[in-house]
Amino acid sequence: MSNAKVLPLIEPADGQAVAPCCPPLTERPFSAEEAEVAARMFKALGDPVRLRLFSAVASHEGGEACVCDISDVGVSQPTVSHHLKKLKEAGLLTSERRGTWVYYRVEPSVLAAMGQLLTNASAVA
Amino acid sequence: MSNAKVLPLIEPADGQAVAPCCPPLTERPFSAEEAEVAARMFKALGDPVRLRLFSAVASHEGGEACVCDISDVGVSQPTVSHHLKKLKEAGLLTSERRGTWVYYRVEPSVLAAMGQLLTNASAVA
DNA sequence: CGCTTGGTTCGATGTGTGTCAACATAGACG
DNA sequence: CGTCTATGTTGACACACATCGAACCAAGCG
């Protein structure tokens, strides 16, 4: 096991600390704290609009997209902004203003952590 | 790739059809329908109590546990039953009554599907 | 039968959240 | 400086949801 640190190496973003989220799922019952942290990330992806926005950013060139490119999800623009903020607070996206437009990027480490959480789980079961 | 069917082979449970959930996350932006299906599963795991219940079942012997074994999550028993029902409706758990006790089991295919969704995503990004 | 234990369903209640319209802010461009 | 476009923020509102107590089924057991 040379890469056991894949899960816990989530760096704090703008000031929103993203705690290490992912103890193995089928190894032991989640503690209350572990569940709270992990559930926060699942909840962030638990909305159809957010999931579409997230996949739009993730599937964009270089995992980066400006709001104008992804804001066609059937809701008003304030709602888009609201959901992007939620995703940012959950540590799944980071934003950066470059001139007129604001670009959003995915946080690969968090994604990998959640993936391994579930992948390891299914491997055990 | 010999196991491309891991994702879509989710069988309908008691009468609650669990649709195939997981197109690749970073390949294309999710459609509204895809997002709705996938978000339903993420939302099911987006509650701390549900996540603890789910991991308790998953980490139990053979991925099977009766309610009496996992109902110690800090909420009342009706609430536990309510959350287990939600997890069952989301296709993540199945229940079976054996004599006095009701046993809940994990649905491995769904878990694998969600894991690959995120794992593939991080691999691409 | 009636009692006990395990589990679900029902009704009610408070909190959370998704949504929009209206307003505010940040650059760009004359 | 004024204005226009692109995003973010605020306030309000409706709906969903998590939670609990009480009532209700289901099995075993005397």
Side-chain angles (χ1 to χ4, degrees), chain B residues 21 24 27 47-48 71 82-83 86-87 98 100 104 107 114:
Chain B
C21 79
E27 290 283 328
D47 182 272
S71 57
H82 168 71
H83 284 304
K86 281 285 186 72
L87 287 169
R98 282 210 299 275
T100 308
Y104 280 81
E107 196 65 48
M114 293 182 70

Side-chain angles (χ1 to χ4, degrees), chain B:
Chain B
M1 299 280 284
S2 61
N3 55 351
K5 277 297 188 60
V6 176
L7 290 319
L9 54 59
I10 294 155
E11 304 134 316
D14 300 292
Q16 188 74 21
V18 181
C21 79
C22 303
L25 188 72
T26 58
E27 290 283 328
R28 301 184 168 280
F30 271 43
S31 71
E33 297 177 358
E34 292 168 343
E36 200 130 355
V37 176
R40 193 178 311 154
M41 310 176 66
F42 281 116
K43 188 190 287 184
L45 294 178
D47 182 272
V49 174
R50 277 198 293 269
L51 200 52
R52 288 184 71 184
L53 289 172
F54 185 77
S55 75
V57 173
S59 66
H60 216 261
E61 207 173 316
E64 184 180 75
C66 88
V67 182
C68 58
D69 286 328
I70 60 176
S71 57
D72 192 15
V73 289
V75 294
S76 67
Q77 206 171 42
T79 303
V80 170
S81 187
H82 168 71
H83 284 304
L84 288 173
K85 186 181 178 183
K86 281 285 186 72
L87 287 169
K88 199 167 69 173
E89 285 174 0
L92 297 171
L93 292 179
T94 59
S95 67
E96 179 195 0
R97 173 164 228 133
R98 282 210 299 275
T100 308
W101 294 279
V102 176
Y103 290 85
Y104 280 81
R105 306 207 316 138
V106 299
E107 196 65 48
S109 55
V110 182
L111 210 51
M114 293 182 70
Q116 289 206 2
L117 190 159
L118 294 167
T119 301
N120 290 342
S122 63
V124 174

